[in-house]
Amino acid sequence: MPSAPVAVVLRGIAGRMGREVVRALAEDADLHLTSGVERGGHPALGTCIAGVPVTADLRGCLGAGAVVVDFTVPEATREHARIAAESGAPFVSGTTGLSEEGLAALREAARRIPLLHAPNMSLGVALLSRLLREATRALPDYDVEILEMHHRHKVDAPSGTALRWAELIAAARTGLRCVHGRAGHTGERPRDEIGMHALRGGDVVGEHEVIFAGPGERVILAHRAESRAAFAGGVLAAVHFVATHAPGFYGMEDVLT
Ligand code: NAD
C-alpha cells in the first residue's frame, strides 16, 4: 500500500524562497504542503497561498509527522526550532546569518528532532563542499581566495555558504584565518590568509568561487545558481531526509548519497 505523503509546513511562505519551495512541492507527489506561516502583520495572513491557509501560529500547524521548512530571519528561526522540538516535528532551515548562539539553539533542538540547517540547499554546493576538502588537503601550499556574488537585496555578508566553506577549508588546513577584502598598502599576501570577497548587485541568485592559486596555475571550484530552483530541489531532498532519520544535526552533505 503506498504511504501517505509527508505533510510540510512552510515558514516564510510569502518570501522569495518560500514561493520557490511552493512551486517545487507541487511537483513532488510524496510531499504535501499543509500550511504556511508568516510573521505577525504580514498582508498574506488570513489568505491562502497555493490553496493552503497562511497563519502566524506555527504551533497550531504542527500535526503528526509534519516537517517544518524555514526560510525566514535568524531570530525567528531560533524560536521556531524550539517550538518544532517541543512538538517533535523535523525541521529544515535554509535561513542564513545565524549567530553562534542561534546555531547553538538549533543544535540544542536537534537533540530531540532531526534538524537540517544549510546556508545553501543546492546539491551542487553540497558536492563542492566535499571537493573543497579534498582540494585543500591536496594543495597545501596554494593560496586560497573565496569570492561570492548575490543580488542587491541580500542583507548578510559574506554569504553563509562562503563562511561555511572558509570554515571547512580552515578545518582541513590548520593555521588559516579569514581576511575580508583588501585595501591600501597591504604588503605581500601572508600565507595564512583565506581572502574573502563579497560582491553585491542586480538580481544575481548566488555565485561562489574558490580559487587555489599556486606556482604557474590556478584551480577554480565554482558554483552558479541559475535560479532559486537549485535551492528548492535540495529542500525537497532535505525534507525526505529528515522525515526518515533519527534526531540529530544534519547538513546537505549528509543528504548526498
Ligand atoms: P524574503 O525576505 O523574500 O522572505 C523571508 C520571509 O520570511 C518573508 O515573507 C517574511 O515575512 C517571513 N518572515 C519573517 N519573519 C517571520 C516569522 N517570525 N515567522 C514567519 N515568517 C517570517 O527572503 P528570502 O530571499 O526568501 O530568504 C530568506 C532566508 O533564506 C534568508 O536568510 C536567505 O539568506 C536564505 N536563503 C537561503 C538559501 C539556501 O539555499 N539555504 C537560498 C536563498 C535564500
Side-chain angles (χ1 to χ4, degrees):
M1 199 169 72
S3 52
V6 175
V8 175
V9 174
L10 181 53
R11 299 191 53 244
I13 190 169
R16 283 179 290 261
M17 270 310 295
R19 289 191 299 260
E20 195 64 48
V21 173
V22 166
R23 271 191 284 277
L25 283 169
E27 304 292 318
D28 189 331
D30 295 323
L31 301 179
H32 174 52
L33 179 64
T34 53
S35 48
V37 181
E38 263 299 339
R39 64 176 162 75
H42 194 283
L45 289 180
T47 69
C48 283
I49 293 180
V52 302
V54 182
T55 166
D57 173 24
L58 174 63
R59 229 180 229 102
C61 304
L62 295 179
V67 173
V68 180
V69 173
D70 161 76
F71 281 91
T72 57
V73 292
E75 314 76 60
T77 296
R78 187 177 169 164
E79 169 65 4
H80 285 94
R82 194 179 57 74
I83 294 172
E86 281 168 13
S87 307
F91 197 80
V92 171
S93 175
T95 302
T96 63
L98 271 82
S99 62
E100 279 307 315
E101 293 76 31
L103 286 171
L106 295 195
R107 287 206 174 82
E108 180 58 32
R111 291 154 60 99
R112 298 169 68 178
I113 51 170
L115 187 152
L116 187 149
H117 176 255
N120 194 313
M121 289 280 174
S122 110
L123 291 169
V125 162
L127 173 63
L128 267 187
S129 300
R130 274 191 190 168
L131 299 177
L132 265 178
R133 273 198 200 90
E134 194 176 336
T136 307
R137 288 197 200 102
L139 305 169
D141 298 323
Y142 283 36
D143 297 325
V144 187
E145 298 277 315
I146 302 176
L147 278 72
E148 57 102 341
M149 179 157 190
H150 284 84
H151 53 88
R152 63 197 308 279
H153 305 291
K154 186 163 176 63
V155 294
D156 52 320
S159 72
T161 305
L163 288 171
R164 173 82 193 104
W165 280 2
E167 259 173 39
L168 70 83
I169 290 166
R173 192 198 293 174
T174 50
L176 292 179
R177 65 194 170 93
C178 241
V179 172
H180 296 270
R182 291 191 185 85
H185 186 75
T186 59
E188 273 191 21
R189 184 191 195 285
R191 305 304 303 269
D192 65 348
E193 284 187 355
I194 300 174
M196 176 78 88
H197 311 276
L199 288 67
R200 293 287 175 270
D203 56 2
V204 177
V205 174
E207 301 193 355
H208 292 88
E209 213 169 85
V210 181
I211 301 169
F212 292 86
E217 66 174 355
R218 269 176 298 157
V219 176
I220 302 174
L221 296 180
H223 182 265
R224 309 250 180 278
E226 309 283 3
S227 82
R228 288 186 177 79
F231 310 130
V235 171
L236 302 196
V239 170
H240 285 290
F241 181 90
V242 294
T244 53
H245 279 74
F249 189 71
Y250 300 103
M252 283 307 285
E253 279 183 78
D254 297 308
V255 176
L256 289 180
T257 47

